[in-house]
């Protein structure tokens, strides 16, 4: 958790701050660099401090639940919220959504329940209009997933669904970050090259070259790949250790058996 926070999140925060400091000179590549860096920063920041809390809890005999389950491998907004900040999601589910009636009600009432939950989710993060807008943003996408494009989502290839979900998540974080809604519009225009600043410039290319390898490492670190690789190495080490133990036993027992014979 400390490594996530200090080595990854803080460094990614500097990349994101540098990108968004461009203001009116934001190029397409710089906008995407800032969006990707900030998206990764939030994950390593939030999951890092919860990992530290879980570890410290175990020091004192408390077993706290996992809070982040690789949210950026999600293929829909609803799956993302089953993986991101799970204790918060489960709290709103158990103490707000279900008491309001959940989804066991009419469609109109279900939409109202979702609206209330996501407005409260936005306000929980802070008493600011950008947080409220961020909560309503996810309310809209969850409604679209469930009631408007449900069949299309099921037929969409997983790779495409994953990319679309990542874009939804990343742009949502832009709303989360910007306390001035006018700047959210500038970032959105910058992502699609509608600011008139072109695709890239010298400063952007330099920033990309300087941070490319670091970003690749950070992207891999927020996937299950590293964990699976570690588990595979542990299994191999354990099997090799068992084989070595058996071999040592044979080497020790062999001469003894010969002597007894």
């Amino acid at each position: 958790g400390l490594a996530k926070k200090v080595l990854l999140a803080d460094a990614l925060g500097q990349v994101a701050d540098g990108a968004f400091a461009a203001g009116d000179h934001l190029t397409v590549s710089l906008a995407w660099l800032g969006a990707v860096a900030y998206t990764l920063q939030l994950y390593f920041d939030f999951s890092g401090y919860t990992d530290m809390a879980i570890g410290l809890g175990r020091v004192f005999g408390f077993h706290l639940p996992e809070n982040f389950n690789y949210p950026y491998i999600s293929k829909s907004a609803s799956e993302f919220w089953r993986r991101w900040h799970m204790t918060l999601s489960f709290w709103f589910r158990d103490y707000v959504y279900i008491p309001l009636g959940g989804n066991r009600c009419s469609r109109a009432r279900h939409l109202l329940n979702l609206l209330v939950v996501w407005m409260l989710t936005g306000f929980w993060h802070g008493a600011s209009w950008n947080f409220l807008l961020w909560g309503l943003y996810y309310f809209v996408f969850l409604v679209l997933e469930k009631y408007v494009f449900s069949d299309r989502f099921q037929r969409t290839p997983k790779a495409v669904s994953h990319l679309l979900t990542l874009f939804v998540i990343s742009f949502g974080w832009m709303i989360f970050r910007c306390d001035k809604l006018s700047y959210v519009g500038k970032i959105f225009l910058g992502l699609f090259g509608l600011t008139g600043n072109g695709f890239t410039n010298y400063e952007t290319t330099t920033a990309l070259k300087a941070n490319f390898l670091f970003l690749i490492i950070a992207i891999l670190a927020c996937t299950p790949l590293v964990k699976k690789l570690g588990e595979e190495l542990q299994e191999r080490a354990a099997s090799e250790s068992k084989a070595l133990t058996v071999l040592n036993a044979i080497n020790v027992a062999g001469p003894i058996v010969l002597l007894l014979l």
Side-chain angles (χ1 to χ4, degrees), residues 17-67:
D17 291 343
F20 294 128
D24 294 332
H25 302 287
L26 192 67
T27 62
V28 175
S29 55
L30 194 59
W32 282 102
L33 175 63
V36 171
Y38 187 63
T39 298
L40 293 170
Q41 177 198 352
L42 284 183
Y43 169 70
F44 290 118
D45 216 342
F46 290 173
S47 67
Y49 78 70
T50 55
D51 284 348
M52 286 188 278
I54 291 170
L56 289 171
R58 291 184 181 178
V59 169
F60 296 103
F62 297 101
H63 290 270
L64 302 175
E66 290 290 339
N67 210 17

Side-chain angles (χ1 to χ4, degrees), residues 87-101 116-117 120:
T87 53
L88 177 65
S89 300
F90 295 160
W91 190 93
F92 273 108
R93 180 197 65 189
D94 295 339
Y95 294 100
V96 180
Y97 180 65
I98 292 177
L100 286 173
V116 171
V117 167
L120 291 176

Side-chain angles (χ1 to χ4, degrees), residues 196-214:
N197 294 323
F199 181 80
T200 188
N201 55 25
Y202 176 77
E203 290 78 8
T204 305
T205 304
T206 302
L208 285 170
K209 288 181 178 179
N211 296 287
F212 180 76
L213 182 59
F214 176 66

Side-chain angles (χ1 to χ4, degrees), residues 58-239:
R58 291 184 181 178
V59 169
F60 296 103
F62 297 101
H63 290 270
L64 302 175
E66 290 290 339
N67 210 17
F68 292 85
N69 183 23
Y70 303 107
Y72 290 157
I73 67 172
S74 302
K75 300 175 183 63
S76 67
S78 55
E79 182 186 357
F80 171 72
W81 280 103
R82 290 194 297 268
R83 293 176 175 273
W84 176 275
H85 210 329
M86 294 185 289
T87 53
L88 177 65
S89 300
F90 295 160
W91 190 93
F92 273 108
R93 180 197 65 189
D94 295 339
Y95 294 100
V96 180
Y97 180 65
I98 292 177
L100 286 173
N103 58 359
R104 297 183 178 182
C105 51
S106 66
R107 177 176 295 189
R109 180 54 190 266
H110 184 219
L111 292 175
L112 178 61
N113 295 344
L114 288 173
L115 178 63
V116 171
V117 167
W118 286 101
M119 287 182 66
L120 291 176
T121 302
F123 276 125
W124 183 88
H125 288 84
S128 178
W129 285 110
N130 64 308
F131 294 125
L132 175 61
L133 181 60
W134 175 76
L136 294 176
Y137 172 83
Y138 273 104
F139 162 73
V140 170
F141 273 99
L142 290 170
V143 170
L144 290 175
E145 282 184 4
K146 184 171 182 61
Y147 288 116
V148 181
F149 300 115
S150 177
D151 294 336
R152 293 185 181 180
F153 274 121
Q154 294 176 2
R155 295 195 301 267
T156 303
K158 292 182 179 181
V160 176
S161 298
H162 184 211
L163 290 175
L164 290 174
T165 301
L166 284 177
F167 176 77
V168 169
I169 293 169
S170 296
F171 186 69
W173 290 138
M174 298 303 98
I175 300 173
F176 187 89
R177 176 189 173 95
C178 301
D179 53 355
K180 294 182 179 180
L181 299 183
S182 59
Y183 196 61
V184 177
K186 288 183 180 179
I187 293 175
F188 185 78
L189 294 174
L191 291 172
F192 292 98
L194 302 176
T195 58
N197 294 323
F199 181 80
T200 188
N201 55 25
Y202 176 77
E203 290 78 8
T204 305
T205 304
T206 302
L208 285 170
K209 288 181 178 179
N211 296 287
F212 180 76
L213 182 59
F214 176 66
L215 288 172
I216 295 298
I217 294 172
I219 290 171
L220 292 176
C222 66
T223 69
L225 182 62
V226 176
K227 181 181 179 181
K228 289 182 178 179
L229 180 61
E231 292 174 349
E232 179 67 22
L233 291 175
Q234 286 180 347
E235 290 178 2
R236 290 187 179 184
S239 62

